[in-house]
Amino acid sequence: MPGVVLLGAQWGDEGKGKITDLLSRDYDYVARFQGGNNAGHTVIVGDRKLQLHLIPSGIMYDNVTPVIGNGCVLDLKVLIDEIDRLESEGISCERLVISSNAHLIMPYHRDLDAASEHRLGANLIGTTKRGIGPAYSDKVSRMGLRMQDLFDRSIFREKVAAALIEKNDILAKVYGLPTYTVDDIATEYQQYAQRLKPYIADTSPLINDALDKDDWVLFEGAQGTLLDIDHGTYPFVTSSNPTAGGAAVGAGVGPTKINRVLGIAKAYITRVGSGPFPTELSCADGDTFIEVGREYGTTTGRRRRAGWYDAVITKYAVQVNGLTDLCITKLDILSEFPTIKICVAYKHLDQTYTTVPGHQSAFHHAQPVYEEMPGWNVDISGCRHFDDLPPAAQAYIKRLEELAGVPVTMIAVGPDREQTIHRGFLQRNRSN
Ligand code: GDP
Ligand code: IMO
Ligand code: MG
């Protein structure tokens, strides 16, 4: 041990990629446990910008074995393209290990994701159209294909044929779309199988053995708590469990192997796609978050929705994940504002809520109750110690800590690795 889970405490894009990359030098394994290429993580090192969708953000470090766990869903073409792109930039993917139990995103999953969004019209979820929902649906319906199926041709064909009976009917009869043949899919996927064979392993024993011999494992979450299929703003969520429990299931370890849970939260909030967002701003302040914070999706390029920090949501994330630590990112972006707002409660009809309302209708219509704090209006991107921050920024962090009930043990003040204030988050004594 230790096993540390790093996850998004809001609606995704909190800066998980930067923090995973930064922490990775202390770890032996970095394991993704859910999601697929709906994720988009940007890692900046010096003047290099790396965008990752499937490969764990620890890939840049030679000491790290990156693992894609059983809980992930994989678009094999995207995966191979990402490996090729990284290798062409001189980043070796030789150490990458992929679970033989991870599920495959098939071409019909992508088609069905896009078609279903189109059908929903104004009520669309705003998915990334990467086939994530349909792939997880098939997994739960027990008609999915897994990485290991690629290595038994007859089983693979049998499973594709079984799936196509239903999928082709839906594609053709419900949506009027082209259908697939077993031969087409088998030919395409055999090529992927050859290419990916060296990376496939049974990853649960690998990670358990590592933890048993006191190696350090970082479980890297994608998406965020409020996008969780069980605990998020259903149905405006993704189809997996980005919450801490998902790490145990999606990597194949027991919950007793997890020592710390680090929630990443932006100093304000963004969300991509539809769904409730109590602190969303449609005024100039919202535009400032977008333009100064460069809030455009890494995966789809969509403009993100933006609003003030919501302490009610963070408290909820502390609860459903058992967070032990918080990391606040993008504090530098708040330097633009003369005063800063924090949402501390919601109002709906004549009721005040200090926790997330149990019924979705109340959450949809919740009006934020704000507390205001003075801003600091100076550039803080060069600060490396808490005491370097202006008193107003220190007071803001202390207030967030108080409201969340867990310590803020890391603060990011810029996209670069170096632009980080360490405040006591677990660091490795290499003599361990
Ligand atoms: P993820 O999906 O949680 O990994 O987050 P994304 O990578 O999609 O979005 C976060 C964006 O903010 C990326 O472009 C990061 O380079 C950038 N970023 C991360 N931390 C900071 C920070 O503290 N300040 C600034 N200005 N940018 C940051
Ligand atoms: P990272 O890891 C932000 C959102 C989509 C949509 C909903 C469902 O970069 O934080 P899906 O394609 O998963 O079925 O879409 O979830 N979404 C994300 N939003 N960051 C992400 O990942 C996201 N992955 C999915 O916009 O609202
Ligand atoms: Mg992202």
Short mmCIF file of all heavy atoms in Angstrom, two decimals, residues 17 41 45 58 72-73 154 190 210 223 237 242 280 285 316 344 409:
data_model
loop_
_atom_site.label_atom_id
_atom_site.label_comp_id
_atom_site.label_asym_id
_atom_site.label_seq_id
_atom_site.Cartn_x
_atom_site.Cartn_y
_atom_site.Cartn_z
N GLY A 17 -6.05 15.42 -15.17
CA GLY A 17 -4.88 15.01 -15.95
C GLY A 17 -3.61 15.67 -15.44
O GLY A 17 -2.59 15.01 -15.24
N HIS A 41 -8.00 14.58 -21.16
CA HIS A 41 -7.13 15.12 -20.12
C HIS A 41 -5.94 15.82 -20.76
O HIS A 41 -5.25 15.24 -21.60
CB HIS A 41 -6.63 13.99 -19.21
CG HIS A 41 -7.74 13.22 -18.56
ND1 HIS A 41 -7.55 12.01 -17.96
CD2 HIS A 41 -9.06 13.49 -18.43
CE1 HIS A 41 -8.71 11.57 -17.48
NE2 HIS A 41 -9.64 12.45 -17.76
N VAL A 45 3.72 19.95 -20.09
CA VAL A 45 5.06 19.86 -19.52
C VAL A 45 5.96 20.78 -20.34
O VAL A 45 6.21 20.52 -21.51
CB VAL A 45 5.62 18.42 -19.57
CG1 VAL A 45 6.94 18.36 -18.83
CG2 VAL A 45 4.62 17.45 -18.97
N GLY A 58 -0.25 9.06 -16.35
CA GLY A 58 1.09 8.80 -15.82
C GLY A 58 2.07 8.33 -16.89
O GLY A 58 3.23 8.05 -16.59
N CYS A 72 -13.09 -0.08 -17.82
CA CYS A 72 -13.08 0.87 -18.94
C CYS A 72 -13.75 0.26 -20.17
O CYS A 72 -13.87 -0.96 -20.29
CB CYS A 72 -11.64 1.24 -19.30
SG CYS A 72 -10.80 2.11 -17.98
N VAL A 73 -14.16 1.12 -21.09
CA VAL A 73 -14.66 0.66 -22.39
C VAL A 73 -13.73 1.24 -23.46
O VAL A 73 -13.37 2.42 -23.41
CB VAL A 73 -16.12 1.09 -22.66
CG1 VAL A 73 -17.09 0.25 -21.84
CG2 VAL A 73 -16.36 2.57 -22.39
N SER A 154 -13.42 -17.78 -33.21
CA SER A 154 -14.79 -18.29 -33.38
C SER A 154 -15.72 -17.69 -32.33
O SER A 154 -16.87 -17.35 -32.63
CB SER A 154 -14.82 -19.81 -33.41
OG SER A 154 -14.58 -20.30 -32.14
N GLN A 190 -9.67 -8.14 -36.16
CA GLN A 190 -8.50 -9.04 -36.13
C GLN A 190 -7.21 -8.24 -36.24
O GLN A 190 -6.19 -8.56 -35.64
CB GLN A 190 -8.60 -10.08 -37.26
CG GLN A 190 -9.29 -11.36 -36.83
CD GLN A 190 -8.87 -11.84 -35.44
OE1 GLN A 190 -7.68 -12.02 -35.18
NE2 GLN A 190 -9.82 -12.02 -34.55
N ALA A 210 0.96 -5.73 -6.62
CA ALA A 210 1.73 -4.50 -6.44
C ALA A 210 1.43 -3.91 -5.06
O ALA A 210 2.36 -3.56 -4.31
CB ALA A 210 1.36 -3.50 -7.54
N GLN A 223 -14.08 11.71 -15.96
CA GLN A 223 -15.36 12.37 -15.68
C GLN A 223 -15.37 12.91 -14.23
O GLN A 223 -14.32 13.28 -13.74
CB GLN A 223 -16.55 11.43 -15.94
CG GLN A 223 -16.78 11.14 -17.41
CD GLN A 223 -15.89 10.07 -18.00
OE1 GLN A 223 -15.80 8.99 -17.46
NE2 GLN A 223 -15.25 10.34 -19.11
N VAL A 237 -25.83 12.20 -17.16
CA VAL A 237 -24.63 11.62 -16.56
C VAL A 237 -23.92 10.77 -17.61
O VAL A 237 -24.44 10.58 -18.72
CB VAL A 237 -25.01 10.71 -15.37
CG1 VAL A 237 -25.57 11.53 -14.22
CG2 VAL A 237 -26.02 9.64 -15.79
N PRO A 242 -17.66 7.09 -11.89
CA PRO A 242 -16.42 7.83 -11.63
C PRO A 242 -16.18 8.07 -10.14
O PRO A 242 -15.15 8.65 -9.77
CB PRO A 242 -16.64 9.18 -12.33
CG PRO A 242 -17.86 9.03 -13.17
CD PRO A 242 -18.68 7.94 -12.53
N GLU A 280 -24.69 28.04 -12.66
CA GLU A 280 -24.33 28.44 -14.03
C GLU A 280 -24.59 29.94 -14.26
O GLU A 280 -25.60 30.48 -13.83
CB GLU A 280 -25.17 27.63 -15.04
CG GLU A 280 -24.82 27.99 -16.48
CD GLU A 280 -25.48 27.06 -17.49
OE1 GLU A 280 -26.44 26.35 -17.13
OE2 GLU A 280 -25.01 27.04 -18.64
N ASP A 285 -19.53 37.38 -16.38
CA ASP A 285 -18.64 36.60 -15.51
C ASP A 285 -18.45 35.18 -16.05
O ASP A 285 -17.35 34.62 -16.00
CB ASP A 285 -19.22 36.50 -14.09
CG ASP A 285 -19.03 37.82 -13.32
OD1 ASP A 285 -18.26 38.67 -13.79
OD2 ASP A 285 -19.67 37.96 -12.26
N TYR A 316 -21.17 17.08 -1.07
CA TYR A 316 -21.78 15.84 -1.58
C TYR A 316 -20.67 14.90 -2.08
O TYR A 316 -20.68 13.70 -1.80
CB TYR A 316 -22.75 16.21 -2.71
CG TYR A 316 -23.45 15.05 -3.35
CD1 TYR A 316 -24.45 14.35 -2.67
CD2 TYR A 316 -23.14 14.66 -4.65
CE1 TYR A 316 -25.12 13.30 -3.28
CE2 TYR A 316 -23.81 13.61 -5.27
CZ TYR A 316 -24.80 12.93 -4.58
OH TYR A 316 -25.46 11.90 -5.18
N VAL A 344 -23.31 28.38 -1.06
CA VAL A 344 -23.28 27.64 0.21
C VAL A 344 -24.60 26.91 0.49
O VAL A 344 -24.69 26.12 1.42
CB VAL A 344 -22.95 28.58 1.39
CG1 VAL A 344 -21.51 29.05 1.29
CG2 VAL A 344 -23.90 29.77 1.45
N THR A 409 -5.20 19.94 0.29
CA THR A 409 -3.78 19.61 0.44
C THR A 409 -2.97 19.87 -0.83
O THR A 409 -1.75 19.65 -0.84
CB THR A 409 -3.61 18.13 0.89
OG1 THR A 409 -4.35 17.30 0.00
CG2 THR A 409 -4.12 17.92 2.30
#
